[in-house]
């Protein structure tokens, strides 16, 4: 079941943080870069992010989430996170499908680590195309994808 998460709620923000840290550690390993901001993000920073969060729940347990900001005619995806214990179960795909369906016809933008092939493959399977790479630290690159 996919539903909106009230990330301003302390308990909900803690659930987001509990999943996001180990998930971003996996991306950090893929990128060879431990400076991903979400690895050190506090509960308060999650609560004040200004993003909208949609969670994937199984029996009321959060297994993954996607967050975004709607800016004019563009959906800017900020996070797509799956609990590493539930990788390869289609959760990320379901979250992305739900978001793209809800905002069908709008433009989408997202960035991910250039070395994060699983994420890039997921986005391209939804029609996203690689737009540009940018350097986040010396020798560490992210890729912007657009749809």
């Amino acid at each position: 079941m996919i539903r909106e998460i009230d990330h301003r709620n302390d308990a909900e923000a803690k659930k987001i943080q509990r999943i996001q840290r180990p998930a971003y550690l996996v991306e950090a390993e893929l990128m060879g870069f431990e400076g991903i901001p979400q690895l050190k993000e506090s509960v308060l920073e999650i609560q004040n992010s200004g993003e909208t969060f949609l969670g994937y729940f199984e029996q009321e347990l959060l297994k993954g989430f996607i967050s975004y900001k709607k800016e004019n005619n563009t959906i800017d995806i900020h996070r797509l996170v799956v609990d590493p214990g539930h990788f390869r179960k289609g959760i990320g795909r379901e979250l992305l499908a739900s978001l793209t369906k809800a905002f069908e016809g709008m433009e989408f933008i997202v960035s991910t680590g250039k070395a994060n092939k699983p994420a890039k493959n997921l986005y391209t399977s939804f029609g996203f195309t690689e737009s540009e790479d940018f350097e986040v630290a010396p020798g560490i690159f992210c890729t912007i994808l657009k749809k």
Side-chain angles (χ1 to χ4, degrees):
M1 169 205 245
I2 296 174
R3 64 174 166 79
E4 191 167 334
I5 304 171
D6 180 6
H7 66 286
R8 292 168 302 282
N9 174 287
D10 197 57
E12 297 300 307
K14 286 178 181 173
K15 290 177 189 175
I16 289 168
Q17 186 187 50
R18 264 195 302 275
I19 291 175
Q20 118 175 337
R21 281 190 175 157
Y24 279 106
L25 273 174
V26 172
E27 184 168 23
E29 289 176 22
L30 288 171
M31 293 176 64
F33 177 64
E34 293 186 10
I36 298 172
Q38 290 85 352
L39 286 173
K40 297 175 180 79
E41 191 173 37
S42 71
V43 169
L44 187 60
E45 288 171 316
I46 292 168
Q47 291 172 313
N48 292 326
S49 69
E51 299 162 38
T52 300
F53 286 76
L54 300 177
Y56 179 97
F57 293 85
E58 287 181 358
Q59 300 168 349
E60 291 306 307
L61 294 174
L62 182 64
K63 304 290 183 178
F65 59 87
I66 192 166
S67 76
Y68 65 93
K69 288 183 180 178
K70 184 178 181 288
E71 300 167 0
N72 300 318
N73 197 39
T74 301
I75 301 301
D76 186 351
I77 299 171
H78 285 249
R79 314 163 202 242
L80 177 53
V81 176
V82 175
D83 181 328
H86 297 279
F87 280 0
R88 309 275 186 256
K89 294 182 180 178
I91 294 171
R93 180 169 293 284
E94 285 194 45
L95 286 162
L96 190 55
S98 177
L99 186 66
T100 55
K101 183 178 179 185
F103 293 103
E104 193 170 352
M106 295 188 73
E107 294 180 73
F108 290 83
I109 187 168
V110 67
S111 66
T112 190
K114 184 175 180 171
N116 190 341
K117 292 193 185 332
K120 289 168 69 174
N121 288 340
L122 174 64
Y123 290 117
T124 57
S125 76
F126 275 82
F128 285 73
T129 56
E130 293 185 30
S131 172
E132 63 183 281
D133 293 334
F134 62 98
E135 196 169 24
V136 294
I140 306 297
F141 291 87
C142 283
T143 300
I144 295 174
L145 297 102
K146 296 180 178 180
K147 175 180 173 166

